[in-house]
Amino acid sequence: MANFQVNKTYQEINDKIKRGQAVVVTAEEIIDIVRKKGEAGAARTVDVVTTGTFSPMCSSGAIINFGHTKPPIKASKVWLNQVPAYAGLAAVDIYLGATEPAEDDPLNKVYPGEFKYGGGHVIQDLVAGKSVRLVAEAYGTDCYPNKHVEKDITLKQLLNAVLFNPRNCYQNYNCAVNLSNRTIYTYMGPLRPRAGNANFCTAGQLSPLFNDPYYRTIGIGTRIFLGGGVGYVVFPGSQHNPAKPRGDNGIPLGPAGTLMVIGDLKKMNSRFLVGVSLLGYGCSLSVGLGIPIPMLNEEIAHFCAITDEHLLAPIVDYGHDYPAGTGRILGHVSYAQLKSGSMTLDGKEVATVPLSSLVRAREVAGILKDWIAQGRFLLGEPVELLPADGDIDCIHTASRDS
Amino acid sequence: MAKKKVVLNFPPHLIDQPITYRLVKDYDLVVNILRARITPREWGRMVVELNGNGSRLDEAMNFLADLGVVVEPLAGEIQWQEERCIHCTACVAPCPTHALDLDRVAMTVAFDRERCIACELCLNVCPYRAIEMAFE
């Protein structure tokens, strides 16, 4: 273990939070503090740094128990507002995925499809308190004779409703361009031909995993802001890959770490869980997620203070390379450049826009900061940190990270 | 001098008439065509900015109405529902006139109605359905 000048424990920080004495700042605010006080000075002064992100996270969904009916049903097919949910679980347990479109959606038959309503929209409607039509079908058994159920449900009436997202909060992401000669419709938004625009999708220096690039404080049991309520990191997310190439500053140069997260849907807020319709691509759910980073030592301060100028996104051609799975990267561009509104690619100026909402990411980090400062949110010490070395078995995804 | 942005809807039988020419020649208007779709045997649609003497502009409007051109105001055609907008800025890239633009410091989207030419490119691009077309 390295020798640090500052050594704090989760227990000490939580005691300060309980007394209402913890010093909490956002990942944007810590930058100036480290500049003025140095890393050790900042680590002594500040106890927690809050991060935030808000953007479409396709690998999201809800586990719902819709309650036993009379006579009881062992549902085998279930729809919520005509969106199919997976019912291959116990009698009335279902999983509703964010990207599932309504069954009667024309999809891309009329290209580009609009994908007006899907699983993400159902989740948003439920959280907003709206009534949702449930239809369940079953083959019928001696113990579960009911073969058809139709009823309106609200989140309040449900016994259990849990947001469970297998892969959220990517650590870094592609900056998408389209070098082909026609407009294409991707999960990174519509991309105009001949690099007409470049779309990126992280909150940069405010984004959770940029602030703890080696997962020194994040792991199983980390308590987080999730969808406006409280959630937990339960495992590394699917496709978690710490072995992705990193810059000299330790920051991954492409999509690397991911999180599997869970939280009580009933306590969430539809401002931070918003259904998404991506033209020509499909439905999704935008998730507000924030992680508090405990200032255990000056190394944590060092990583939290890395600015957008030193966070680099890989530029990927979604016109050819991405659909072909070549894994080719056209170059790297800093988030400072991307946020400025334009970048240069092959001598040509290209307009850059984020798909992730920085405004709402700031809101997430701000709310989490208030919760902790007011003593309403304690840090969860991970029982195990996320894998941080390259020795773990990681599948080769050839930059296919959606 | 008066200026207004309007949508001119041409019934199919007027498609072959040089109506823009009449606006320029007879009513002394500066006609700036922002967008046009004229197809034989179909209703034509033209988004124009008209600039000229106030009373001449009114006379031109009467001329168009008498001909059978349906004139609609452009303002308010595209509606940006701010409460649904999460400022993801997907609309900013396709907007040809920067009517939908991004404040780079606050990273918020702003809609400048004056610049909008109602091209509708933003409508389906918005993942949150926060931009709508108002039908009157």
Side-chain angles (χ1 to χ4, degrees):
Chain A
M1 287 296 279
N3 279 323
F4 293 119
Q5 295 173 45
V6 180
N7 291 287
K8 292 188 211 171
T9 64
Y10 283 81
Q11 190 59 51
E12 285 163 10
I13 295 175
N14 274 338
D15 285 344
K16 280 180 90 172
I17 294 173
K18 282 181 206 159
R19 292 197 303 268
Q21 291 170 348
V23 177
V24 192
V25 301
T26 70
E28 288 185 314
E29 293 163 343
I30 188 69
I31 291 166
D32 260 354
I33 298 172
V34 170
R35 221 171 259 158
K36 283 183 192 135
K37 301 192 171 194
E39 289 165 3
R44 254 179 229 113
T45 315
V46 175
D47 298 304
V48 184
V49 173
T50 61
T51 62
T53 185
F54 183 89
S55 60
M57 301 193 195
C58 290
S59 198
S60 300
I63 298 169
I64 291 169
N65 177 294
F66 62 82
H68 285 288
T69 55
K70 205 172 174 184
I73 188 168
K74 175 181 138 40
S76 51
K77 282 187 174 171
V78 173
W79 297 261
L80 292 171
N81 281 354
Q82 296 185 40
V83 178
Y86 180 72
L89 302 162
V92 291
D93 280 343
I94 54 173
Y95 185 76
L96 175 67
T99 68
E100 187 71 47
E103 195 159 71
D104 60 353
D105 193 293
L107 309 174
N108 262 341
K109 281 171 200 141
V110 182
Y111 178 83
E114 292 184 46
F115 300 96
K116 284 186 177 163
Y117 196 83
H121 298 92
V122 178
I123 292 171
Q124 179 185 5
D125 281 348
L126 279 171
V127 175
K130 289 186 189 164
S131 173
V132 166
R133 188 75 180 163
L134 177 138
V135 176
E137 283 179 359
Y139 46 80
T141 72
D142 290 339
C143 45
Y144 290 97
N146 205 340
K147 290 184 181 172
H148 187 88
V149 167
E150 275 195 54
K151 60 176 183 174
D152 291 319
I153 57 165
T154 61
L155 188 58
K156 238 183 186 168
Q157 298 162 351
L158 296 174
L159 208 55
N160 317 89
V162 171
L163 189 75
F164 174 61
N165 305 345
R167 175 160 33 106
N168 275 184
C169 203
Y170 244 121
Q171 183 180 28
N172 208 349
Y173 211 79
N174 299 339
C175 164
V177 295
N178 168 23
L179 300 184
S180 79
N181 289 322
R182 66 172 185 102
T183 297
I184 58 169
Y185 300 90
T186 72
Y187 67 84
M188 294 294 284
L191 299 171
R192 285 147 71 195
R194 296 171 290 279
N197 58 305
N199 291 4
F200 64 101
C201 199
T202 94
Q205 62 196 18
L206 199 56
S207 182
L209 294 183
F210 270 144
N211 284 283
D212 185 5
Y214 290 106
Y215 332 113
R216 303 258 204 259
T217 70
I218 300 172
I220 300 167
T222 298
R223 191 177 284 117
I224 62 173
F225 173 108
L226 182 62
V230 172
Y232 299 87
V233 174
V234 290
F235 218 63
S238 54
Q239 297 182 20
H240 174 79
N241 183 356
K244 278 270 166 103
R246 289 171 187 255
D248 292 340
N249 58 7
I251 303 291
L253 295 169
T258 70
L259 303 177
M260 197 173 285
V261 299
I262 202 164
D264 187 352
L265 197 64
K266 290 183 166 215
K267 294 186 179 144
M268 293 187 190
N269 180 339
S270 59
R271 185 170 175 76
F272 299 102
L273 287 176
V274 183
V276 178
S277 302
L278 290 160
L279 187 63
Y281 178 75
C283 304
S284 188
L285 179 71
S286 274
V287 179
L289 196 159
I291 300 184
I293 297 181
M295 195 58 85
L296 301 176
N297 53 55
E298 60 268 33
E299 187 192 52
I300 308 288
H302 166 81
F303 285 122
C304 285
I306 295 178
T307 60
D308 281 335
E309 284 78 11
H310 305 284
L311 302 171
L312 303 179
I315 306 167
V316 174
D317 171 26
Y318 279 62
H320 172 257
D321 290 329
Y322 191 87
T326 67
R328 183 168 77 123
I329 286 164
L330 304 175
H332 284 90
V333 56
S334 78
Y335 281 96
Q337 187 70 49
L338 288 169
K339 286 180 185 175
S340 79
S342 73
M343 65 171 193
T344 312
L345 184 67
D346 286 337
K348 183 190 166 188
E349 193 167 307
V350 183
T352 58
V353 294
L355 288 179
S356 129
S357 169
L358 199 63
V359 184
R360 218 155 276 190
R362 283 182 180 139
E363 211 179 311
V364 169
I367 292 172
L368 186 54
K369 173 181 161 175
D370 290 345
W371 284 354
I372 298 170
Q374 292 160 7
R376 294 160 55 198
F377 183 107
L378 295 176
L379 304 181
E381 182 168 3
V383 293
E384 203 167 302
L385 292 172
L386 296 180
D389 57 43
D391 297 337
I392 65 160
D393 288 334
C394 291
I395 52 160
H396 178 62
T397 58
S399 280
R400 299 190 64 83
D401 297 300
S402 72
Chain B
M1 293 293 274
K3 190 158 98 170
K4 64 157 85 173
K5 267 190 207 171
V6 290
V7 182
L8 306 181
N9 295 286
F10 300 88
H13 72 275
L14 288 181
I15 290 297
D16 59 352
Q17 301 293 310
I19 293 166
T20 310
Y21 172 79
R22 297 255 75 90
L23 294 177
V24 177
K25 195 74 177 169
D26 301 349
Y27 298 93
D28 201 22
L29 300 180
V30 177
V31 181
N32 185 10
I33 302 175
L34 300 171
R35 216 180 133 217
R37 192 188 63 218
I38 309 288
T39 318
R41 294 186 296 280
E42 283 179 17
W43 275 78
R45 186 178 151 88
M46 194 156 87
V47 181
V48 289
E49 187 180 68
L50 302 173
N51 204 339
N53 177 291
S55 60
R56 301 294 285 152
L57 196 54
D58 292 340
E59 286 168 32
M61 289 297 123
N62 290 334
F63 157 73
L64 290 169
D66 289 346
L67 267 181
V69 176
V70 181
V71 184
E72 294 172 322
L74 178 66
E77 270 217 322
I78 296 287
Q79 297 191 339
W80 173 51
Q81 309 289 353
E82 194 171 353
E83 75 285 351
R84 258 188 259 160
C85 176
I86 64 116
H87 305 279
C88 79
T89 72
C91 57
V92 171
C95 181
T97 60
H98 297 287
L100 286 156
D101 214 348
L102 180 57
D103 175 334
R104 291 283 163 182
V105 179
M107 295 301 268
T108 49
V109 173
F111 178 51
D112 182 350
R113 203 173 283 288
E114 287 302 305
R115 289 182 158 187
C116 178
I117 58 168
C119 70
E120 304 176 21
L121 282 175
C122 53
L123 286 189
N124 291 337
V125 165
C126 176
Y128 303 92
R129 296 284 177 263
I131 307 173
E132 289 177 342
M133 197 75 182
F135 294 101
E136 288 168 3

